[in-house]
């Protein structure tokens, strides 16, 4: 089993991005799975290309992307990606699309086909706070998740894919005012490893997991 | 032009629901439009039936549903409804479905076809805080929004539909601990009236409007 | 009975301040009390002078100051003022003292001698969210409250004094991103009137009122 | 130099308290200072006795108490303790005093005499989020801080004393809903060690440090 794990480079005013910092510290094997690590740019256009090229190159069984959701308290595993870009800031190429679809021939949204309830349960059983999120936003994170699921839907039906949002690192939080929530790099890294374990074990869970559910 | 506006009855431990409280105070005409007001039950099953019956009965041009999103600071106009129920509490019929689709033959998600950026702008120009939201949750609110857009997609292609979430009323907030954000009934009611004005005028806006956009 | 009620002028990047906006809408009499309204500058130095001059001029029985606490969800009545200035931004005179005492011969802190639990209860019984706060901050609001209580302690033993913090107005919140909590001007104004009623009636309450109490 | 560091036992519905968990992992020496570790009960009455007995027994140069402030995002070093108990829940002896002074012959409040700005700076320079707080609440934490500073003021003029509030542990946060902010035990422990280093070095800082400063 081969798992491609991507993390973004830094964007906005931050000089690190917990996403790729955590990805590059992952072990090279988790349970039976080989872990392939890839840094992708916080760019709508180049991340789209990078994802497709990496799938072609590595033929992974699973594509899991990691991104930063500054301000969230815990690890949030995304349920759904939507066919929309509404960029609140410029990406790293200076591009800021508004009210734009990601893929003209794509569906309005795709649900992840990863066992996200089992992933959340497995992380929480190991004492790390995690929930399911029902919005990946409208910036590059959502766009990458959408592109992964679009490609799975159109071309790579045997692949599983999904997205995990992680909090700020403490060093990022320490220099903001007011100080937002954060999580240590070790804990973020451990949570991704646990999420991957749950994927490899295909751990299912049908119970209610906490999360924003108006 | 005929606009059907629905609001929920109270649920959980609350004895009022700002949604229908505001709806019933709306004027009977807004600009050129006739306003039809309907209370719907906070029940997955009965709200689904109520929406379809009301569309058949009134043949509205627009269906706008209003629900409470306790804890949010402002008026939030929803972009998307997803084909999922994940009920954190029982509905008013004692039903609590988990990990269930709303409509087996429905799409993963539908975007609203209302001019939501124009609606947000119009509300804000009148000094009431408003944003677009990209998650209507996974409880009865999302379910009602999904059912409206599903019906529009399948049967009533000329209808427009959407959903607005409103904060707690001050009287609800005052008895919670810690005290959450709230908005006065007059202001909630005014914001719905302004949203409807923007619909009637088909007010468009392509600028960025603030909102959670990771 | 004579009650001097003060409110600040706008500061930082805001063009209104809910404090004086609400104060100037108060009735001229509340129960048996005559209400004297005074706008004071968001300036450490000039507010100090303005408060003392107003006490000398009007000989009030009660001095109640109103200030804005942007981001709070509800009306917060302050328990304590501390002998410290730690200005996060410049005041309206361009002054930004750090780690400075307000009065060299003053105590470390003064508790208000107003019936604040009764005031909170009276406001909440009228369906407006309110709590007690145990920090008035370290900017001009705390400084004015401290100066009032210092003067009461040193010279005007028969006067009662205190401070109420109020949320942003909706029009202020609407143009910030992310949008913070707010309260309508009518409701802020009503809450001050209710607080004054409780003072005039000397309404006592010994129950627990909600509030941040680590 | 001898530093007495105290941490509370668990209270309310939690089965651990990050305060003493962190204290017991501290090294026995930090720079030149000997560290004496003491668990104290979350009880108004018994913590008061425990603090005074420990000062008599160990004759420390510094008394630093650590407590949990559930919900805060970062390490918060307290500036001020007030002569008030307003217990939102029962302490571990079943006692819940309301509107009660801690010491009849005590001042309204005491400021810590520790170099708290230097402590905050030192922690932040080491990439851990920290701020100054201007309220230690009205429960047992404030009470312990008040008692330490009262004793310093009345009897032990050469001692320095203060209080640090720490966030929930991840394992506490993981089982709450909604999930609050948390910090890893290692990082909490490290931050206390850094705070003690700044005390030993008597590190001063006069710059503005971030914090709630209305």
């Amino acid at each position: 089993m081969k798992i491609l794990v991507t993390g973004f480079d830094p964007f906005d005013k931050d000089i690190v991005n917990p996403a790729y910092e955590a990805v590059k510290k992952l072990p090279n094997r988790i349970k039976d799975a080989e872990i392939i690590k890839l840094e992708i740019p916080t760019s709508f256009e180049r991340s789209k290309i990078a994802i497709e090229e990496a799938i072609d190159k590595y033929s992974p069984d699973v594509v899991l992307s990691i991104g930063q959701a500054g301000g969230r308290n815990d690890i949030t595993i995304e349920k759904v990606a939507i066919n929309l870009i509404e960029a609140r800031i410029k990406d790293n190429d200076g591009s800021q699309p508004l009210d734009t679809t990601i893929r003209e021939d794509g569906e309005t949204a795709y649900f992840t086909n990863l066992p996200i309830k089992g992933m959340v349960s497995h992380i929480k059983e190991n004492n790390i706070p995690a929930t399911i999120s029902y919005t990946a936003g409208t910036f590059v994170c959502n766009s990458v998740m959408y592109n992964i699921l679009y490609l799975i839907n159109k071309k790579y039906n045997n692949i599983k894919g999904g997205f995990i949002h992680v909090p700020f690192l403490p060093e990022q939080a320490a220099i903001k005012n007011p100080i937002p929530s954060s999580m240590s790099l070790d804990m973020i890294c451990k949570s991704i490893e646990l999420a991957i374990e749950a994927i490899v074990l295909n751990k299912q869970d049908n119970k209610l997991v906490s999360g924003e559910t108006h």
Side-chain angles (χ1 to χ4, degrees), chain A:
Chain A
M1 194 177 191
K2 220 187 286 178
I3 301 186
L4 173 64
V5 189
T6 78
F8 289 104
D9 61 2
F11 67 101
D12 204 2
K13 289 154 204 150
D14 284 298
I15 55 170
V16 293
N17 189 321
Y20 191 64
E21 294 303 309
V23 168
K24 73 184 180 200
K25 288 186 65 175
L26 286 174
N28 294 317
R29 293 200 72 80
I30 296 175
K31 301 275 176 195
D32 288 342
E34 176 191 353
I35 305 303
I36 301 153
K37 306 164 192 178
L38 182 69
E39 187 176 32
I40 58 176
T42 303
S43 148
F44 288 103
E45 195 54 32
R46 287 186 291 132
S47 63
K48 184 173 168 177
I49 296 165
I51 289 289
E52 190 154 8
E53 283 181 351
I55 293 176
D56 282 339
K57 179 170 174 190
Y58 298 111
S59 298
D61 300 289
V62 174
V63 184
L64 180 65
S65 283
I66 315 296
Q68 164 187 305
R72 291 194 185 168
N73 290 332
D74 59 348
I75 300 296
T76 47
I77 304 189
E78 298 295 343
K79 173 70 181 180
V80 59
I82 61 176
N83 195 4
L84 179 71
I85 301 177
E86 194 75 67
R88 72 183 154 86
I89 53 170
K90 288 179 177 164
D91 72 8
N92 284 350
D93 291 342
S95 174
Q96 188 176 14
L98 293 179
D99 222 339
T100 305
T101 54
I102 299 168
R103 297 275 190 172
E104 281 194 20
D105 64 339
E107 294 184 17
T108 301
Y110 297 105
F111 286 146
T112 179
N113 56 357
L114 292 174
I116 58 173
K117 284 186 153 191
M119 293 159 73
V120 166
S121 297
H122 195 55
I123 295 171
K124 290 176 75 168
E125 283 158 13
N126 285 276
N127 292 326
I128 301 177
T131 47
I132 292 174
S133 163
Y134 299 99
T135 177
T138 58
F139 194 54
V140 186
C141 289
N142 172 71
S143 189
V144 161
M145 181 177 174
Y146 186 88
N147 276 311
I148 293 168
L149 298 173
Y150 168 92
L151 291 170
I152 289 173
N153 187 266
K154 295 284 184 193
K155 288 174 60 178
Y156 307 98
N157 294 291
N158 295 323
I159 296 184
K160 287 183 191 290
F163 198 95
I164 299 179
H165 263 124
V166 302
F168 282 131
L169 293 175
E171 67 204 76
Q172 293 175 285
I175 55 174
K176 299 186 193 295
N177 185 5
I179 289 180
S181 199
S182 63
M183 188 178 278
S184 72
L185 181 57
D186 281 352
M187 190 165 284
I188 290 174
C189 189
K190 182 71 187 169
S191 71
I192 298 170
E193 191 179 335
L194 290 164
I196 292 171
E197 272 185 23
I199 294 168
V200 176
L201 300 170
N202 196 22
K203 190 175 169 177
Q204 300 293 329
D205 190 335
N206 297 307
K207 292 192 304 290
L208 181 64
V209 297
S210 65
E212 193 266 346
T213 52
H214 285 293

